[in-house]
Amino acid sequence: MIDKFTTDKTAELVIEGQKYSLPIIEGSEGEKAIDIRNLRQDTGYITLDKGYMNTGSCTSGITYLDGAKGILSYRGYSIEDLAENCSFVEVAYLLLHGHLPTDDEYQHFSYLLGRFALIHEDMIHFFDHFPPNAAPMAILSSMVNSLSNFYPEMTENPLEDIDIMATRLISKVRTIAAFTYKKSMGSPLVYPRHDLSYCANFLNMMFDSPVKPYAINDDVVRALNKILILHADHEQNCSTSTVRLVGSARVNLYASISAGISALWGPLHGGANQAVVEMLEDIYESDGDYQNYINRAKDPSDPFRLVGFGHRVYKSHDPRSRIIKAACDEVLDTLKVSDPLLDIAKELEEVTLNDEFFIERNLYPNVDFYSGIIYRAIGIPSNMFTVMFALGRLPGWIAQWKEMWDDPDWRIGRPRQIYIGPKRRPLTPKEERKKRESDT
Ligand code: ACO
């Protein structure tokens, strides 16, 4: 099979003396892959790659990352430039369309975000029927799946108007997230406002109250924009691959995103940001004795891992964690918050960066390591941290889902396996099995 990235180079594969020639594909940043699409048909073999350590599931023009060099870019723009110079809404547009919006495009996209900010009033009753301590990620995933019942028109021809499709979700998920928090506090809901920017609107829905109006702080709004941009996409990670896989069965966008939210919930993925702060709190409560945690992480007989360290792809610094660390200092400074967890986090980082165990395994702080400390400073409780991650990742999920729908080579995602169960065997009739049981 030939596509536009197929080179004139080939890889030679020899199986039991028989030679096969496999095409080599090269991406725009020089990443190389052996195209095995015809492998099973030509050789009878499949490849086995548990955890997809070496498997490319698609070609994509959205996000590039080089884990060895610590590089991340969206649509060709470096994450550092985007985080410094753009708003989250601009980056969402960039991910979806491949270019930064013109003034008119930005105005229209923002207008749609405002227009679609409400959720159907009947959905608000859903919140009343979750148990009081329901996990916000479970609520979010259920509510997003339910959107398909309230806004079914998008499910029929989802690509008809990508801006409508995307802004509906991006705007409503923000409202659902804020309402989830308000309901968990037993506080009155604060509805979205047309005159506020995306992030300011979210903060206002979260923290405004009839008895204490929320004062929007521009520095906090800027920090939130930055964090959401850093989370906006990360190529084929666990939740994004889930969105693509579920969507490949041609289910509607809401159901695909709801599945992605469930994947993100996992403590090895997006759930790590909450787990980091819980770990730092535990360390603080044990008089700052982080060495015990480091020792446990290094002990091969202990399953404990230092949360917020390590990454499947980055074997160098995660560029996002550097930006978040700097933002963390800025926000705490602006809000005049002194958080002992930040001091513990910095000490932990310092010690691990000089520890052979972590050096040998290329374990550096990841994006989740400092984000929770910013959220705490803003007033967002730890059980909402992964919801914040989902809010940020939404434009990336939608862009990846759209790219998959648009792909002329689209196929339903269906990996194979190597069966290791019992060989085919005859079934013993029920009567005989009963007889054997009574004999024993
Ligand atoms: N603490 C201590 N040791 C670790 C850690 C850690 N956080 N992460 C990996 N290791 C060790 C492993 O024990 C293993 O050691 P070994 O070779 O002696 O057996 C080695 O490093 C390689 O680990 P793998 O599990 O093979 O790495 P993998 O790429 O599969 O896992 C993962 C990546 C899941 C992120 C892992 O580093 C981890 O569990 N980190 C903690 C959870 C976390 O922070 N997750 C958030 C990731 S970022 C995100 O999803 C947005």
Side-chain angles (χ1 to χ4, degrees), residues 127-393:
F127 288 106
D128 299 330
H129 301 284
F130 286 100
N133 292 326
M137 284 298 273
I139 298 178
L140 185 65
S141 162
S142 317
M143 297 291 270
V144 168
N145 214 339
S146 308
L147 286 171
S148 58
N149 297 317
F150 289 90
Y151 306 95
E153 67 277 14
M154 254 175 63
T155 63
E156 280 152 24
N157 185 2
L159 296 187
E160 198 175 26
D161 190 332
I162 175 71
D163 280 347
I164 289 185
M165 176 181 87
T167 50
R168 265 214 173 120
L169 248 174
I170 295 171
S171 197
K172 290 189 194 311
V173 165
R174 170 186 59 177
T175 306
I176 293 169
F179 284 9
T180 301
Y181 170 65
K182 285 290 194 195
K183 282 283 180 184
S184 75
M185 301 296 288
S187 307
L189 300 180
V190 175
Y191 280 75
R193 274 173 39 187
H194 278 255
D195 57 326
L196 294 178
S197 71
Y198 185 85
C199 287
N201 219 335
F202 173 72
L203 291 166
N204 193 61
M205 280 194 275
M206 287 285 287
F207 302 120
D208 190 44
S209 140
V211 289
K212 190 167 187 282
Y214 179 66
I216 293 166
N217 176 321
D218 289 343
D219 292 322
V220 172
V221 171
R222 226 183 336 272
L224 185 57
N225 266 291
K226 207 175 258 191
I227 299 188
L228 296 183
I229 289 170
L230 296 179
H231 286 88
D233 195 44
H234 211 236
E235 52 120 295
Q236 306 313 315
N237 57 81
C238 179
S239 54
T240 303
S241 299
T242 302
V243 170
R244 277 187 179 254
L245 188 63
V246 172
S248 79
R250 287 300 193 237
V251 70
N252 64 73
L253 174 66
Y254 302 111
S256 308
I257 299 290
S258 166
I261 291 169
S262 298
L264 188 73
W265 192 5
L268 295 189
H269 191 15
N273 57 10
Q274 177 176 347
V276 168
V277 163
E278 286 164 1
M279 179 183 77
L280 295 173
E281 281 169 346
D282 287 347
I283 296 177
Y284 178 66
E285 276 156 26
S286 57
D287 295 328
D289 179 14
Y290 55 79
Q291 195 54 49
N292 175 36
Y293 289 77
I294 294 180
N295 295 345
R296 284 189 62 197
K298 288 160 62 172
D299 179 354
S301 63
D302 189 334
F304 174 78
R305 285 186 168 194
L306 217 50
V307 206
F309 281 81
H311 196 277
R312 168 59 62 79
V313 183
Y314 292 117
K315 299 304 171 195
S316 164
H317 280 279
D318 179 338
R320 301 168 300 173
S321 72
R322 283 186 166 149
I323 302 171
I324 284 208
K325 186 179 175 185
C328 200
D329 281 327
E330 278 165 31
V331 169
L332 267 66
D333 199 38
T334 305
L335 297 177
K336 307 208 178 343
V337 170
S338 154
D339 189 342
L341 300 197
L342 179 60
D343 301 330
I344 296 174
K346 284 184 175 171
E347 281 176 55
L348 257 184
E349 178 179 359
E350 182 70 29
V351 172
T352 52
L353 289 179
N354 293 301
D355 185 308
E356 272 313 303
F357 177 92
F358 293 87
I359 296 169
E360 271 169 23
R361 289 166 182 76
N362 297 311
L363 299 171
Y364 297 90
N366 57 43
V367 68
D368 293 319
F369 193 59
Y370 287 103
S371 59
I373 299 173
I374 303 188
Y375 292 143
R376 265 165 68 92
I378 296 176
I380 296 171
S382 61
N383 68 347
M384 285 291 292
F385 290 179
T386 316
V387 170
M388 298 305 296
F389 194 151
L391 197 59
R393 184 55 53 86

Side-chain angles (χ1 to χ4, degrees), residues 93-123:
Y93 190 96
L94 169 73
L95 288 167
L96 285 166
H97 289 282
H99 64 271
L100 285 162
T102 60
D103 278 352
D104 285 351
E105 287 165 339
Y106 182 76
Q107 294 306 332
H108 181 62
F109 201 70
S110 300
Y111 157 76
L112 291 176
L113 285 169
R115 179 173 147 200
F116 294 133
L118 291 172
I119 56 170
H120 195 291
E121 282 290 307
D122 287 350
M123 287 189 78

